[in-house]
Amino acid sequence: MSTTTAGAVPERAESAWGTFRRGLALSPELRTGLAGTLGLALVSMVGRAAVPVAIQQGIDRGLRAPGGPDLGVVGVVVAATAAVLVLTTICGYLMMRRLFTVSETALAGVRVRAFRHVHDLSMLHQQAERRGSLVSRVTSDVDQITQFLQWGGVILLINLGQVVVTTVVMAVYSWQLTLVVFGAFIPALAVIRIFQKRLAAAYGVVRQRLGAMLAAVSESVVGAPVIRAYGVAGRTAERLDRTIDAQRRAQQRAIRTSVISFSTGEIAAGLALAGVVVLGVRLGVDGTLGIGELTAFLFLVTLFIQPVQIATEVLNEAQNAVAGWRRVLDVLDVAPDVADPGEQGVDLPAGPIDIRFADVGYGYPGGPPVLVDVTVDIPAKTRVAVVGETGSGKTTFAKLLTRLMDPSAGAVLLSGVPLDRVRFGSLRSRVVMVPQDGFLFDSTVAENVRFGRPELTDDELALAFTELGLGDWVEGLPFGLATPVGERGEALSVGERQLVALARAYVADPDLLVLDEATSAVDPATEVRLQRTLDAVTRGRTTVAIAHRLSTAQAADEVIVVDRGRIVQRGPHEELVSDPQSVYGLLYASWLEQTR
Amino acid sequence: MAGKTSRDILIRGIRVLGYAIRDEPRIFAVAVGGSILYSLLIIASAYVVGAVVGNVVVPSLESGRADLAAVLLGAAALLAVSLGRVLGMFGRRIGAGFMQYRLQASYRRRITRRYLELPLSWHHRHATGTLLSNANSDVEAAWFPIAPLPFAVGTLVMLVAAMGSLFVTDWVLAMVGVAIFPALFALNVVYSRRMAPRQARAQQMRAEVSAIAHESFDGALVVKTMGQEARETARFAARAGELRDALISVGRLRGVFDPMLETLPSLGTLAVLLVGAARLNQGAVTITELVSVAFLFTVLAFPVRAIGWVLAELPRSVAGWDRLQSVLTATGEMPYGDTTLDRRDGRPATLVLDRVTFGYAPAEPPPATAPAEPGLATEEPETAARPIGVPPPTEPATAPTEPATAPTEPAPAEPPAPGSVPVLHDVSFTVPAGRTVALVGPTGSGKSTIVSLAVRLVDPDAGTVTLDEVDVRALTAASLAGTTALVAQVPFVFDDTIRENITLGRDGITDDDVWAALRLAEADGFVAALPDALDTMVGERGAALSGGQRQRLTLARALAGRPRLLVLDDATSAVDPRVEAAILAALRGERAESTDPAGPPESRASILVVAYRRATIALADEVVYVEHGRVVGRGTHATLLRTTPGYAALVTAYERAEAERERERERAYEDPATRRGEEVDA
């Protein structure tokens, strides 16, 4: 299938700053009180330099005051610094409180918007193989941003500030010594950058191996019956062990790189301290530097090292967070190709719906045409069956009819209105499709049937099942309507899931009902019974049934035969079977062979 | 109460850490060794800085001339301390990381091993997502505190050493440490204890948000076709809002404690300056000592946080550990026996189900409404009266002594959860060697469960399943797998090559055998057309193949093992009926070829096939018809058509529908006025 790349969310190569600007444009609420928050952050950063300054002042003006140690001065210095510390602590609290409230609120908004956006994307974007990655857009990608903000973001902000503030204070005390410190750190930073890149690659491998391991675990869990039935637990265990150990090895490689990177900073710190002592003593001897200043400088070097080391580590997380943010924004930037016309749209006229396909063509992006020049009129209130071999294009017909996709050529009209002009609110309440895979939510039978009509009471639901002739089946369930259906409905058999899906569509009370092989896993007797009741309850509405059992076609007012993307035959069953060499004639012959 | 439980968790958390140390004692020793070295060198660095100031800087500046040797010695000492710290850091970080990763890997192996050992009934009760997170995030959570543990242990040593050195230096300055260190420690403990429940709630909300997203996107088609995007978004937004609130509450707590933890050591430094100035004045300390102690408070602030990290992670660790234990200690293993079946030259096996009863334990607790018990007791006498045409089964050794009064709740292999949902009642039938038996019944009648019992995916609550007169529970795993093969309703394909998917690593299956099996399953054509033929990777869940191709692949997998009993659970629904007929005919066709005039007629395998199609049923020697978990008819197709109305209704449904339509049409043609009345009659 060529669709593996078609409709994929494009990955952008973009700078972190570009992502940041795009993100800010999308969540203007992030700007709320930003100036105040930054102001508070600045105050709490200045507090970081308070202690070394206090030590310098205490030593030079107090302990080593020209007239002998002056305890009064030390007292004043300590009291003033303590006041500064209390103030910066309060500012730190206020800053974090504002930051978290604003950012979490904005990100929750982004999360919800992305969720809705994914639902608004067409079937093409929602294909099964990409669902996992779509889920991660509204879960782990956003989590990555919030977790970074909670742990790394504040640390990064404060530490970068601390680097700036200590640099300024250091430069004030001695520009020469500041150069020594930078002389030790700049080469170290270059080395750290190289290792950070390797580290990012190493963590990339870790994530990849984690994915492989989870796939293996999931295979061993989902495939448990096969593994047991074929007695291949030993082989499965070996495969699991291989992926588990591969991930462990990748993790161990990553941590080795990380430690080397981190120790570079430590060695640079040692070099800086040693250099400061050697040069500082010379400067002191020359009289350009006091003892207090030199001592304060040693403290400042430590205050400079820690944030640089921490910041380089956190920067890694920052890159992940920015990448996560970018992925979320990229999803939001994908324009829904099957969009709700909204205000500009119109509602479907009241009453039964007629269908018109005018020169409709469809092909998946990059693939061969699936439907070609389909022109067909289906009058209101008729029951039509669409039949054809697997891959003939009959399911595409249903998807175009319900506007899950838009045709690449021509137009689909319902009651004379072009489908892309119909408001979704009107379309989805009047036109309902029952897909082959009757997906159920992890809740009860009743809740699932109520999905389209939350206001229905249990009595009304029970009545609906009775009308469909499924009352017996419901009574046979362990807890009746309250029976839990399990994850994806897996507590029910495939056929039973289809019964619930059918009831769900039935209570939605549509004017056009589209059934896409909706009863393919139901036993023949039940199917025939359903067919009869459906005939009765859908009288007065238009029904289009995509059928793989020809019993459905036999019961329909009219049969449309699709072959290799074109409509090749049309008419009532009796008429079509009269030519045994026609496409339908052959399909019917093979059907009879199976069932008689 | 709350205090007691959190103390409880602390104790249990420390015990979990103990298990970790017991599992990896050597790596732990390396990590703690490195950490202690690192910590002690941090204290040393404070004293070196102090010494450099007191012994190098002050004399040099005061005398106006630098003692070059002393300056270089000081610089060398600072550098040496840094190098020593790097060494300690290597030991600590690599040790801690390796320990954490080895524990994760080891527990992932144990957990997944357990998944392979536990019976399917256990798997049925646990959602796939839960089992995945047991192996992934729960393992991670359990061993998360391992990463900062050596650091924390080193820090504790450092705190003791720092206090000791303070007392050695000056007892008055030490009082500052006495005030600050315990306060710092207490602040960390309080912080962790307050944080734990908030973090847990955020984690919980994160999982719930993720669950809604998974389900909603899985059901995207339904959401879209029913136009329920807004309602789904509201459902998601409600949880996302709760997650936001949980995260804000985490953030606020950080806002309170982080700045305080930052400020407290700084206040210590100031106190040292103040107290030290007085002591210096009294001549009790030197400037060297004063600077050293002040420096000590500056460098200690960060490591002390490590203790907080460990404490903060303990509740999550305990929760993860508990979930791991619930898998590791789960009972209800389905042990294999030690009997090996003679392969009898690959001749078909005989399968007998004798008075089998089975119920599923529900995955979720039943809702408040009491379940309607389907009157088991009143129907029980039927146990004695076998359905028409059913020959009494060969009396198994394990037959209940009083079959007529068979208890409604038979002694189960494992205690069934209360409210277990009965699926099969007293099912008995035989698939004689070499014969094909079709299992027919309406949707939800228990056919798939019978199939699971036949290949021992599950064990009966009562009654026995025997293969060649041996209870399947007595068979070894290899013998059971070598005798039977199941092709399930939904084909399962591994993310591997075509060849591996067919052989599954079983011994003695050559490429020729693989091609023969593919030919039999009519899959040789499409496999030969694949770019790498047998070496083609099929992708996750066989994504590169169509439904019908996957199904034929699993058929070939079953055939390749030359099973003596082949079980097909509606396995050919995605396969052309012609292919199905060809497969069954091929299996039965060998009967004629291998006929030894002296011996009994033999086909390669006995076949149990779940079917709806008339064409499939027609190939069977006998039909077993089930309804509501009971066998209500056995015999040939013709017999059942006559004797069992339910069966007749099922298999002739299409014909009758057509006939009815025909009649209606004729009547409508004759007299359109009678049509309305006709509806009532029908």
Side-chain angles (χ1 to χ4, degrees):
Chain A
M1 283 285 277
S2 58
T3 49
T4 41
T5 50
V9 175
E11 283 271 342
R12 283 203 200 195
E14 182 184 47
S15 69
W17 178 240
T19 304
F20 187 70
R21 275 210 320 237
R22 203 147 56 100
L24 211 57
L26 202 87
S27 315
E29 59 266 45
L30 276 175
R31 292 174 199 268
T32 317
L34 190 64
T37 307
L38 286 179
L40 289 168
L42 198 68
V43 174
S44 47
M45 284 167 207
V46 170
R48 301 287 178 119
V51 169
V53 172
I55 286 175
Q56 180 264 325
Q57 294 285 330
I59 290 177
D60 284 353
R61 297 212 182 155
L63 299 179
R64 302 187 60 81
D70 184 346
L71 287 184
V73 170
V74 173
V76 170
V77 166
V78 166
T81 313
V84 168
L85 285 179
V86 170
L87 180 71
T88 57
T89 307
I90 292 168
C91 284
Y93 164 69
L94 291 174
M95 187 253 321
M96 285 169 101
R97 193 189 150 115
R98 287 171 72 122
L99 186 74
F100 288 139
T101 309
V102 168
S103 63
E104 291 299 344
T105 306
L107 285 170
V110 169
R111 208 193 278 269
V112 172
R113 231 176 305 166
F115 178 88
R116 174 61 199 246
H117 196 80
V118 168
H119 272 306
D120 285 342
L121 292 175
S122 74
M123 293 306 300
L124 210 55
H125 288 298
Q126 292 178 349
Q127 273 165 24
E129 64 261 43
R130 254 177 254 122
R131 238 167 245 161
S133 84
L134 288 177
V135 170
S136 71
R137 294 295 179 277
V138 299
T139 57
S140 56
D141 284 340
V142 179
D143 289 343
Q144 215 157 35
I145 314 172
T146 70
Q147 263 169 351
F148 168 72
L149 281 175
Q150 295 263 341
W151 290 100
V154 175
I155 293 176
L156 188 65
L157 192 69
I158 291 178
N159 282 302
L160 287 179
Q162 190 171 329
V163 169
V164 172
V165 170
T166 46
T167 304
V168 169
V169 177
M170 284 195 304
V172 168
Y173 282 145
S174 165
W175 60 268
Q176 296 96 328
L177 289 184
T178 310
L179 284 183
V180 169
V181 173
F182 274 76
F185 267 94
I186 286 169
L189 278 180
V191 174
I192 288 173
R193 257 191 89 82
I194 294 169
F195 277 105
Q196 291 289 330
K197 276 194 189 132
R198 284 201 201 162
L199 193 57
Y203 277 123
V205 176
V206 170
R207 271 195 299 276
Q208 200 186 327
R209 297 276 160 85
L210 178 72
M213 184 201 75
L214 287 178
V217 174
S218 139
E219 202 172 73
S220 76
V221 169
V222 180
V226 178
I227 292 164
R228 184 155 273 262
Y230 286 87
V232 291
R235 174 176 177 274
T236 312
E238 278 167 31
R239 283 166 69 115
L240 282 166
D241 287 357
R242 268 204 302 280
T243 60
I244 290 169
D245 284 332
Q247 198 232 351
R248 177 180 56 81
R249 278 195 301 275
Q251 285 176 315
Q252 291 179 343
R253 258 195 303 281
I255 200 158
R256 274 200 296 266
T257 314
S258 140
V259 174
I260 293 171
S261 165
F262 202 79
S263 59
T264 311
E266 187 71 43
I267 290 169
L271 284 172
L273 276 176
V276 164
V277 167
V278 173
L279 187 67
V281 169
R282 265 200 74 90
L283 291 172
V285 171
D286 294 349
T288 36
L289 205 65
I291 292 173
E293 285 169 322
L294 186 51
T295 310
F297 215 98
L298 292 176
F299 277 70
L300 282 167
V301 172
T302 312
L303 277 179
F304 181 82
I305 297 161
Q306 272 183 1
V308 168
Q309 284 188 325
I310 293 168
T312 50
E313 290 222 326
V314 173
L315 264 177
N316 231 15
E317 286 175 45
Q319 280 168 358
N320 288 339
V322 167
W325 203 2
R326 189 177 299 146
R327 285 194 293 270
V328 178
L329 295 173
D330 285 348
V331 161
L332 282 167
D333 276 355
V334 175
D337 45 356
V338 179
D340 186 355
E343 288 302 305
Q344 282 86 49
V346 294
D347 286 347
L348 281 173
I353 293 173
D354 64 71
I355 302 164
R356 180 174 163 74
F357 271 58
D359 302 319
V360 168
Y362 187 81
Y364 288 95
V370 182
L371 281 184
V372 185
D373 284 338
V374 171
T375 299
V376 69
D377 278 291
I378 297 171
K381 302 197 224 176
T382 42
R383 287 168 290 152
V384 173
V386 180
V387 300
E389 299 265 3
T390 308
S392 59
K394 55 187 196 298
T395 294
T396 305
F397 185 87
K399 286 180 178 168
L400 293 174
L401 180 57
T402 48
R403 212 182 163 220
L404 292 176
M405 312 187 298
D406 280 338
S408 13
V412 180
L413 294 90
L414 292 188
S415 298
V417 184
L419 208 46
D420 56 5
R421 299 257 298 117
V422 180
R423 250 181 237 138
F424 274 15
S426 170
L427 180 67
R428 301 298 179 211
S429 64
R430 305 277 305 280
V431 178
V432 166
M433 171 163 125
V434 187
Q436 182 175 14
D437 161 34
F439 181 90
L440 301 186
F441 293 87
D442 185 4
S443 140
T444 62
V445 170
E447 284 308 309
N448 270 289
V449 176
R450 220 178 253 144
F451 186 69
R453 294 271 304 277
E455 73 278 11
L456 291 183
T457 64
D458 276 3
D459 288 346
E460 285 169 311
L461 293 182
L463 183 65
F465 274 107
T466 310
E467 283 169 354
L468 283 170
L470 296 172
D472 288 352
W473 174 74
V474 172
E475 274 167 33
L477 291 172
F479 309 113
L481 281 173
T483 303
V485 300
E487 247 188 315
R488 286 184 290 278
E490 279 162 8
L492 302 181
S493 77
V494 183
E496 288 174 316
R497 272 177 250 164
Q498 290 186 334
L499 298 182
V500 178
L502 200 67
R504 174 166 62 191
Y506 170 61
V507 300
D509 196 20
D511 288 304
L512 168 58
L513 184 62
V514 182
L515 307 167
D516 184 6
E517 303 194 2
T519 52
S520 59
V522 173
D523 71 77
T526 308
E527 193 200 7
V528 166
R529 212 168 61 224
L530 268 174
Q531 186 77 55
R532 291 188 64 83
T533 49
L534 271 178
D535 284 354
V537 297
T538 58
R539 204 151 280 165
R541 308 161 203 227
T542 317
T543 318
V544 175
I546 311 298
H548 91 143
R549 289 179 179 173
L550 291 200
S551 53
T552 312
Q554 281 173 280
D557 295 330
E558 196 178 31
V559 181
I560 294 176
V561 186
V562 187
D563 189 40
R564 275 171 272 171
R566 292 170 194 274
I567 293 182
V568 290
Q569 272 179 295
R570 224 195 127 169
H573 169 76
E574 277 73 26
E575 205 175 285
L576 296 184
V577 286
S578 61
D579 179 2
Q581 286 313 306
S582 67
V583 174
Y584 188 77
L586 292 172
L587 278 173
Y588 188 65
S590 131
W591 164 250
L592 283 185
E593 207 177 289
Q594 291 175 45
T595 52
R596 297 294 147 84
Chain B
M1 179 69 198
K4 189 179 183 304
T5 45
S6 73
R7 189 158 42 246
D8 211 44
I9 283 177
L10 189 72
I11 291 165
R12 295 188 52 214
I14 288 168
R15 198 173 301 153
V16 174
L17 293 180
Y19 299 141
I21 295 166
R22 198 190 53 200
D23 275 6
E24 302 285 350
R26 289 198 358 224
I27 298 186
F28 182 70
V30 170
V32 167
S35 178
I36 290 174
L37 177 65
Y38 182 83
S39 303
L40 293 180
L41 284 175
I42 280 186
I43 296 175
S45 74
Y47 282 93
V48 170
V49 166
V52 166
V53 170
N55 302 333
V56 182
V57 174
V58 174
S60 300
L61 265 62
E62 278 177 344
S63 67
R65 53 173 282 278
D67 175 356
L68 191 64
V71 169
L72 288 182
L73 186 67
L78 285 171
L79 211 53
V81 167
S82 266
L83 289 175
R85 286 216 301 217
V86 167
L87 200 67
M89 200 163 69
F90 263 84
R92 185 194 83 211
R93 289 193 142 205
I94 292 187
F98 275 40
M99 182 173 174
Q100 187 188 11
Y101 303 147
R102 284 173 68 102
L103 282 165
Q104 284 179 359
S106 143
Y107 273 81
R108 280 185 177 136
R109 274 200 294 269
R110 290 189 213 184
I111 289 281
T112 52
R113 203 62 95 253
R114 206 68 204 131
Y115 289 167
L116 295 174
E117 287 161 2
L118 285 164
L120 278 187
S121 56
W122 184 87
H123 278 269
H124 283 310
R125 289 196 301 273
H126 296 85
T128 308
T130 312
L131 297 188
L132 270 178
S133 80
N134 284 153
N136 181 28
S137 45
D138 288 339
V139 169
E140 238 163 54
W143 303 127
F144 210 86
I146 296 302
L149 179 64
F151 199 5
V153 172
T155 304
L156 280 176
V157 172
M158 178 169 75
L159 284 179
V160 172
M163 280 310 294
S165 71
L166 280 180
F167 273 106
V168 168
T169 308
D170 178 48
W171 72 270
V172 180
L173 278 180
M175 284 303 119
V176 178
V178 167
I180 296 288
F181 290 158
L184 205 54
F185 190 81
L187 200 60
N188 264 303
V189 171
V190 172
Y191 185 18
S192 307
R193 280 168 91 158
R194 292 255 184 115
M195 188 55 109
R198 283 175 169 80
Q199 289 277 26
R201 176 158 168 79
Q203 195 54 36
Q204 169 72 21
M205 295 319 302
R206 229 178 248 135
E208 284 182 23
V209 162
S210 169
I212 291 181
H214 263 289
E215 188 184 44
S216 194
F217 291 171
D218 265 355
L221 187 59
V222 173
V223 174
K224 201 181 268 294
T225 53
M226 308 285 284
Q228 294 297 312
E229 291 95 337
R231 218 176 113 220
E232 283 295 286
T233 307
R235 182 163 82 105
F236 181 78
R239 280 284 183 284
E242 286 177 48
L243 172 59
R244 176 201 59 211
D245 294 342
L247 288 173
I248 288 177
S249 124
V250 166
R252 285 193 175 184
L253 199 70
R254 287 181 62 82
V256 171
F257 280 89
D258 275 0
M260 284 212 287
L261 284 170
E262 205 69 58
T263 304
L264 199 57
S266 297
L267 290 177
T269 310
L270 289 180
V272 166
L273 191 61
L274 193 64
V275 175
R279 296 295 284 169
L280 192 71
N281 222 11
Q282 295 163 6
V285 294
T286 63
I287 189 132
T288 308
E289 290 163 338
L290 175 58
V291 172
S292 300
V293 172
F295 202 81
L296 194 58
F297 279 92
T298 311
V299 291
L300 271 180
F302 186 69
V304 171
R305 307 279 293 265
I307 298 171
W309 296 336
V310 172
L311 293 176
E313 290 298 337
L314 280 186
R316 236 178 85 187
S317 163
V318 169
W321 173 259
D322 286 348
R323 282 194 289 267
L324 295 187
Q325 287 305 311
S326 76
V327 175
L328 293 176
T329 61
T331 53
E333 220 157 320
M334 228 172 82
Y336 291 100
D338 48 16
T339 308
T340 305
L341 274 185
D342 179 13
R343 274 193 68 82
R344 301 185 189 182
D345 302 326
R347 283 179 194 169
T350 302
L351 169 76
V352 178
L353 269 75
D354 184 48
R355 282 166 284 184
V356 165
T357 296
F358 183 84
Y360 281 111
E364 288 167 88
T369 37
E373 273 292 320
L376 265 179
T378 53
E379 291 177 37
E380 207 46 47
E382 277 182 37
T383 312
R386 276 176 222 295
I388 314 128
V390 180
T394 45
E395 208 58 45
T398 52
T401 41
E402 295 170 299
T405 56
T408 45
E409 285 172 18
E414 64 175 295
S420 132
V421 182
V423 178
L424 296 180
H425 315 271
D426 202 37
V427 169
S428 299
F429 69 88
T430 304
V431 181
R435 295 307 171 105
T436 300
V437 172
L439 193 56
V440 182
T443 305
S445 55
K447 300 183 296 293
S448 289
T449 306
I450 292 177
V451 159
S452 302
L453 285 160
V455 298
R456 207 189 166 213
L457 289 181
V458 292
D459 281 336
D461 295 339
T464 56
V465 179
T466 59
L467 276 170
D468 286 345
E469 289 164 27
V470 178
D471 191 317
V472 289
R473 283 172 286 203
L475 294 176
T476 65
S479 185
L480 187 65
T483 306
T484 65
L486 166 72
V487 186
Q489 194 172 12
V490 181
F492 184 85
V493 175
F494 293 92
D495 183 6
D496 209 328
T497 61
I498 299 266
R499 180 189 291 107
E500 281 295 306
N501 261 297
I502 289 172
T503 65
L504 292 182
R506 289 172 288 178
D507 291 334
I509 300 178
T510 64
D511 273 12
D512 286 346
D513 296 336
V514 170
W515 280 114
L518 286 169
R519 233 177 343 265
L520 215 51
E522 301 226 344
D524 52 333
F526 89 81
V527 171
L530 289 171
D532 299 317
L534 290 183
D535 293 313
T536 310
M537 296 292 293
V538 298
E540 206 174 327
R541 305 270 184 285
L545 306 174
S546 78
Q549 289 174 336
R550 280 199 289 271
Q551 204 147 46
R552 276 178 280 170
L553 204 60
T554 56
L555 255 171
R557 175 194 292 159
L559 298 172
R562 292 181 168 268
R564 298 165 53 227
L565 171 70
L566 182 63
V567 182
L568 306 172
D569 182 7
D570 201 11
T572 43
S573 59
V575 171
D576 197 298
R578 198 182 43 72
V579 176
E580 183 185 38
I583 293 162
L584 292 180
L587 283 168
R588 291 159 52 88
E590 295 193 5
R591 185 182 291 191
E593 287 165 31
S594 66
T595 298
D596 175 353
E602 285 293 346
S603 80
R604 184 191 275 181
S606 317
I607 303 171
L608 176 63
V609 55
V610 173
Y612 289 138
R613 288 174 180 166
R614 285 282 285 277
T616 316
I617 296 170
L619 293 167
D621 298 304
E622 194 187 29
V623 177
V624 174
Y625 178 68
V626 286
E627 245 177 36
H628 300 302
R630 292 169 195 278
V631 174
V632 296
R634 276 183 66 173
T636 62
H637 171 65
T639 316
L640 285 181
L641 267 186
R642 264 197 337 270
T643 57
T644 313
Y647 176 77
L650 190 73
V651 295
T652 62
Y654 294 134
E655 288 156 74
R656 282 182 302 115
E658 193 182 350
E660 203 143 323
R661 268 193 302 276
E662 207 66 40
R663 270 206 309 282
E664 275 175 31
R665 228 170 263 127
E666 278 163 21
R667 296 233 176 93
Y669 180 73
E670 286 162 9
D671 180 9
T674 58
R675 251 199 91 165
R676 201 161 297 135
E678 204 41 55
E679 291 277 67
V680 182
D681 287 351

